[in-house]
Amino acid sequence: MSQPNTLRSRLPDVGTSIFTVMSAMARAHGAVNLAQGFPDFDCDEGLQDLVHHYMRKGYNQYAPMAGVPALREAIARKIEATQGVAVDPDAEITVTAGATEALFVAISAVVHPGDEVIILEPAYDSYAPVVRLNGGRVVPVGLRPPAYRVDWGEVAAVCTPRTRLIIVNNPHNPTGQIFAEADLMALEELAERHDLWVLSDEVYEHIVFDGQRHHSVLSRPRLRQRSFAAFSFGKTYHNTGWKMGYCVASPSLTEEFRKIHQFVVFSVHTPVQHALATWLEKAEHWESLAPFFQKKRDLLQQALADTPLRPLPCAGTYFQLYDYSAASDLPDVEFVRWLATEKGVATIPVSPFYSDGYDARVVRICFAKKEDTLREAAALLRRAFAPEKG
Ligand code: PMP
Ligand code: GLN
């Protein structure tokens, strides 16, 4: 009997994601998990009841490929309310299996073998592998602490005739930075000058602090023509495990997007789509998100104020970066291992978000946790860095 050939990997250098690694380490050592980005509190019971309601009413068969019309209409109304722009729910919105699927499909829709794709680093882990699966070449541009601002001149300098797509993430995971309007203008100018498509990952759109606003690519008509914008209900409604999201793009881009989406999942969970359509009617749910998380950010910062961990500016998302260089010389991957295994708090190192492993001695802490969890973790961290007595 002949043996099968050894599979030649499409992604030979890709291992398990740092989020999975750190969650497993937290479980193995009983550490408080401030690593992987998910809430440790439940999503609203009213929303859970709605899912049950729609299941019992028999909404249990395939949804339309693009998404349940009532949900797409509710999404369009939300975009109108938050960004002041009209989006056509039939031609421009597709409901996806989380933002992850939207990112996969959007990249696959535009990248041909040999195309170059600009990724700003530190970058969320799912972008680069999908570019490579499509035969594209990743061109990283590094953002540097403490402000992690984009130098658009540096981005322009790496553009070539083969550059096809730029991927941006605003508000930004892991740095917590948000785009100013000037950033969007610069992005629009760059995309037009070099004829680029834009993929804008905006899953933290509602988590922006200190009275600032989220500026979506959808808010600028010319930029919107060239953009896919990816969103996630998991971040907005505290149910990351439901894996529900959507992509907004112009009609011609959406047409190409759906050609691929239909063969990735065809359509996503029907009763949850109906439940979300009803839940979206209440603006207070997303309007209360920023103050809800800002309180947690402030609690964490105050509780760690007397430690050598120095917070970097955090304008959005539910992540806070800390510079630990005053406390340790360890590389970040070793530092987080020590913190999780010896001191009982799991965090995320930032160097895995860079293709060259750039290590600025910075860790990411997720504060989408109950206040008690944040207090418990802060007490452990204060103890870990308390000056030696005697
Ligand atoms: N983009 C970013 C920046 C994220 O942090 C996440 C985290 N989950 C995603 C995309 C994926 O979203 P989803 O869980 O809806 O697939
Ligand atoms: N977005 C989450 C984070 O940044 C992780 C999601 C995942 O584990 N893939 O922590």
Side-chain angles (χ1 to χ4, degrees), residues 17 19-20 35-38 124-125 173 204 235 319 353 364:
S17 94
F19 310 119
T20 306
Q36 196 174 18
F38 64 88
Y124 187 61
D125 64 349
N173 176 8
Y204 301 100
K235 307 295 171 187
F319 304 113
F353 293 75
R364 187 192 83 174

Side-chain angles (χ1 to χ4, degrees), residues 98-100 103 124 127 169 173 201 203-204 232 235 243-244:
T100 306
L103 296 165
Y124 187 61
Y127 312 147
N169 174 206
N173 176 8
D201 176 345
V203 300
Y204 301 100
S232 171
K235 307 295 171 187
K243 295 301 300 185
M244 296 293 291

Side-chain angles (χ1 to χ4, degrees), residues 367-389:
F367 54 82
K369 306 292 167 187
K370 294 179 207 143
E371 294 196 355
D372 282 350
T373 310
L374 294 174
R375 286 200 191 90
E376 183 192 354
L380 288 164
L381 290 168
R382 279 199 304 272
R383 202 171 312 147
F385 300 112
E388 302 269 329
K389 294 228 172 70

Side-chain angles (χ1 to χ4, degrees), residues 206-222:
H206 297 299
I207 313 178
V208 171
F209 306 131
D210 305 317
Q212 300 195 72
R213 274 197 63 221
H214 169 60
H215 297 288
S216 171
V217 288
L218 302 177
S219 67
R220 297 185 66 83
R222 282 182 11 223

Side-chain angles (χ1 to χ4, degrees), residues 99-119:
T100 306
E101 195 230 338
L103 296 165
F104 184 96
V105 172
I107 295 169
S108 303
V110 300
V111 175
H112 291 254
D115 285 349
E116 291 172 5
V117 177
I118 297 173
I119 293 182

Side-chain angles (χ1 to χ4, degrees), residues 172-217:
H172 187 262
N173 176 8
T175 68
Q177 293 305 302
I178 60 173
F179 277 176
E181 195 141 28
D183 288 305
L184 278 192
M185 284 164 65
L187 174 62
E188 179 176 280
E189 198 271 323
L190 178 95
E192 288 187 338
R193 184 147 42 93
H194 295 277
D195 195 14
L196 309 181
W197 302 115
V198 175
L199 171 54
S200 184
D201 176 345
E202 302 186 11
V203 300
Y204 301 100
E205 61 175 327
H206 297 299
I207 313 178
V208 171
F209 306 131
D210 305 317
Q212 300 195 72
R213 274 197 63 221
H214 169 60
H215 297 288
S216 171
V217 288

